[in-house]
């Protein structure tokens, strides 16, 4: 008789795979894009993380919706229509892991795959009132098809309802795979064991305002951070108003924009190869087409300089942690979930106006994709109108262990497990 393998940690748990980056041979892929949906495109290989999810015992029952090609925080497409927020059906769910956020928040599944290259796990987690962790740079594999996403800004992960499940999911997806260009330091023990340990007294800085170049954050987001700061102080941590000075650096938009636009231009090349024809403006929403056209004009020198700025920013933020801080706390986003259509092109607008709106809603997530730090969004606050507001905890590079210990301690002190949206399975 053949040797039986032990069941995975998520044996038999229903699960949804995001329709972007991760895939299974023979299964449909659309990237949230109508031409792929109409052509019934299927995957020609299985990605490493998809195989890891399957090996953990998860049973994929479908795929989740994403923005067209991914570079948006609005999951509203011509291919699949708008994905609605279960807390308020007239509000958005964020992106790009928007369908994953809605599915977990509404109770369709307890865990759904997500990936995060600018906040794409943490944004839906905040808007949908669940937990979302972006790992450290190099913690997860984008193989075998890709070395990394957007020059190291992307990581794979999951959207879940508890810190315990976030830790267990990280154990599943994390780890070096053959051919990966780099990898984060291996943890000394499973992350789910870390989440069960006390963090000890920590020095924590918090930022309850917008970056200096930003127009300002919603009062509920300010309250969420301040209430979390008080809670952490009450359970024994040293908490002070302090943050890395680099977060006020208004140069972040240009190099990040270059990396994203060049990535989408390369995405267009892949799409043309798969479809067997050119991609034209009529195929794409104005925002996606704007990025493709912009990316096609980026020179090799501009791309290298953008990557050099990422190095500058990463080292500047790292000095804050090496100066004695353990954790940074911010609001995950600058607002609760906006109405559906908020990120659509309005009359007389240029597509760049959409990008500005996205940057105004999400100033706190993308810095940690740039710097490579692990960051988690916790559903710690509700507005008077009944919309969730996430609080983001950020640790030094490679310190998911500390991040999960503190997050679990906060969850125990201010539990959210009984909080459910109006629309729930």
């Amino acid at each position: 008789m053949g040797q039986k393998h032990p069941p995975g940690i998520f044996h038999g748990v229903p699960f949804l795979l995001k329709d972007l980056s991760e895939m299974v041979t023979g299964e449909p892929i659309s990237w949230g894009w109508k031409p792929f949906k109409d052509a019934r495109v299927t995957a020609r290989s299985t990605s490493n993380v998809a195989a890891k999810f399957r090996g953990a015992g998860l049973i994929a029952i479908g795929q989740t919706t994403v923005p067209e090609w991914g570079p948006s925080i609005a999951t509203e497409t011509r291919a699949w229509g708008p994905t609605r927020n279960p807390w308020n059906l007239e509000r958005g769910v964020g992106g790009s892991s928007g369908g994953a956020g809605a599915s977990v928040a509404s109770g369709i599944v307890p865990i759904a795959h997500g990936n995060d290259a600018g906040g794409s796990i943490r944004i839906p987690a905040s808007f949908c009132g669940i937990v979302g962790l972006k790992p450290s740079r190099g913690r997860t594999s984008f193989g075998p098809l890709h070395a990394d996403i957007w020059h190291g800004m992307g990581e794979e992960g999951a959207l879940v309802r508890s810190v315990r499940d976030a830790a267990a999911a990280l154990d599943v997806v994390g780890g070096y795979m053959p051919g990966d260009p780099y990898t984060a330091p291996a943890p000394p023990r499973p992350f789910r064991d870390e989440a069960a340990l006390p963090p000890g007294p920590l020095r924590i800085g918090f930022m309850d305002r917008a970056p200096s170049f930003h127009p300002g954050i919603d009062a509920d987001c300010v309250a969420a951070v301040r209430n979390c700061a008080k809670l952490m102080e009450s359970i024994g941590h040293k908490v002070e108003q302090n943050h890395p000075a680099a977060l006020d650096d208004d140069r972040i938009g240009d190099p990040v924009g270059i990396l994203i636009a060049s990535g989408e231009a390369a995405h267009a090349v892949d799409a043309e190869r798969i479809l067997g024809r050119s991609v034209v403006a009529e195929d794409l929403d104005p925002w996606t087409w704007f990025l493709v056209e912009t990316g096609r004009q980026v020179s090799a020198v501009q791309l290298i300089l953008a990557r050099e700025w990422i190095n500058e920013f990463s080292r500047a933020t790292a000095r804050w942690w090496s100066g004695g801080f353990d954790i940074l706390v911010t609001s995950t986003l600058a607002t609760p979930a906006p109405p559906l259509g908020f990120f659509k092109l309005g009359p007389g607008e240029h597509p760049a106006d959409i990008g500005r709106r996205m940057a105004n809603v999400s100033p706190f997530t993308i810095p940690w994709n740039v710097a490579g730090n692990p960051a988690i969004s916790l559903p710690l606050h509700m507005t008077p109108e009944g919309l969730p507001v996430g609080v983001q905890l950020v640790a030094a590079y490679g310190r998911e262990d500390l991040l999960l210990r503190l997050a679990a301690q906060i969850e125990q002190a201010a539990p959210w497990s009984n909080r459910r949206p109006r629309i729930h399975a």
Side-chain angles (χ1 to χ4, degrees):
M1 295 178 63
Q3 184 178 5
K4 290 186 177 181
H5 294 283
I9 188 172
F10 288 110
H11 181 67
V13 174
F15 166 76
L16 291 165
L17 194 68
K18 182 177 176 178
D19 187 15
L20 197 66
S21 296
E22 296 300 322
M23 63 195 76
V24 175
T25 302
E27 294 292 326
I29 55 171
S30 79
W31 302 351
W33 191 39
K34 197 170 186 302
F36 270 13
K37 179 187 177 186
D38 293 345
R40 299 180 181 272
V41 173
T42 58
R44 299 179 184 179
S45 63
T46 297
S47 50
N48 289 339
V49 165
K52 287 185 175 188
F53 279 129
R54 179 178 290 179
L58 290 161
I59 307 298
I61 61 172
Q63 293 175 312
T64 57
T65 51
V66 298
E68 182 183 83
W69 293 15
S72 173
I73 62 174
T75 305
E76 304 166 35
T77 65
R78 284 182 283 177
W80 303 105
T83 301
R84 298 177 182 271
N85 194 313
W87 294 92
N88 182 326
L89 296 180
E90 299 308 312
R91 301 280 179 152
V93 292
S96 62
S97 308
S103 299
V104 173
S106 62
I108 297 172
V109 290
I111 175 173
H113 163 238
N115 37 46
D116 189 321
S120 291
I121 289 173
R122 291 160 290 157
I123 293 168
S126 181
F127 284 165
C128 296
I130 55 176
V131 177
L133 168 66
K134 181 201 81 71
S136 294
R137 186 176 357 258
R139 178 70 65 199
T140 63
S141 174
F142 279 97
L145 292 182
H146 305 288
D148 57 21
I149 297 294
W150 292 352
H151 302 281
M153 288 172 59
E155 286 298 320
E156 298 287 358
L159 289 109
V160 292
R161 286 192 50 81
S162 70
V163 175
R164 179 200 64 181
D165 286 353
L170 185 57
D171 284 329
V172 169
V173 300
Y176 173 81
M177 294 296 288
D180 286 347
Y182 47 84
T183 189
R189 62 180 68 86
F191 287 115
R192 61 186 180 276
D193 291 347
E194 295 290 356
L197 296 174
L202 303 176
R203 186 182 179 197
I204 298 169
F206 72 92
M207 184 179 186
D208 62 355
R209 63 164 176 84
S212 59
F213 55 86
H214 185 278
I217 66 175
D218 189 272
D220 273 293
C221 297
V222 175
V225 173
R226 291 178 179 172
N227 290 341
C228 182
K230 291 175 185 175
L231 175 67
M232 293 185 299
E233 193 168 48
S234 73
I235 54 181
H237 302 294
K238 182 181 180 183
V239 182
E240 57 190 280
Q241 199 168 27
N242 202 310
H243 64 271
L247 292 181
D248 289 314
D249 190 335
D250 63 1
R251 296 176 297 164
I252 191 169
D254 288 341
V256 167
I258 286 170
L259 294 172
I260 293 174
S262 60
E264 293 311 294
H267 223 149
V269 174
D270 285 341
E272 290 175 338
R273 175 182 53 80
I274 293 168
L275 279 182
R277 67 167 177 84
S278 296
V279 172
V280 297
E282 290 73 24
D283 290 323
L284 295 164
D285 287 338
W287 170 243
T288 320
W289 181 247
F290 169 70
L291 290 175
V292 170
E293 284 197 304
T294 301
R296 286 171 172 170
Q297 303 305 312
V298 171
S299 71
V301 171
Q302 287 175 303
L303 190 61
I304 289 171
L305 290 175
R307 297 186 68 180
E308 285 298 304
W309 188 86
I310 279 187
N311 172 64
E312 178 186 341
F313 183 86
S314 301
R315 294 180 189 277
T317 55
R319 285 193 289 271
W320 187 78
W321 272 274
S322 63
F325 284 92
D326 297 301
I327 298 287
L328 172 69
V329 177
T330 72
S331 177
T332 306
L333 299 167
T335 69
L340 291 169
F342 183 76
F343 298 108
K344 295 288 186 183
L345 190 67
E349 285 192 319
H350 187 274
D353 294 323
I354 298 173
R356 279 188 281 273
R357 280 203 291 281
M358 288 194 285
N360 285 344
V361 168
S362 183
F364 299 114
T365 58
I366 208 162
W368 310 115
N369 298 90
V370 172
N373 296 56
I376 191 169
S377 180
L378 303 178
L380 290 177
H381 187 81
M382 297 291 292
T383 72
E385 296 76 29
L387 292 173
V389 171
V391 172
Q392 178 177 243
L393 311 181
V394 188
Y397 177 76
R399 293 305 310 271
E400 286 95 333
D401 57 341
L402 194 61
L403 191 68
L404 288 163
R405 291 180 202 171
L406 177 61
Q409 186 184 50
I410 291 171
E411 181 180 21
Q412 186 174 15
W416 54 76
S417 61
N418 293 328
R419 199 183 299 153
R420 294 284 191 276
R422 182 167 57 91
I423 306 298
H424 195 271

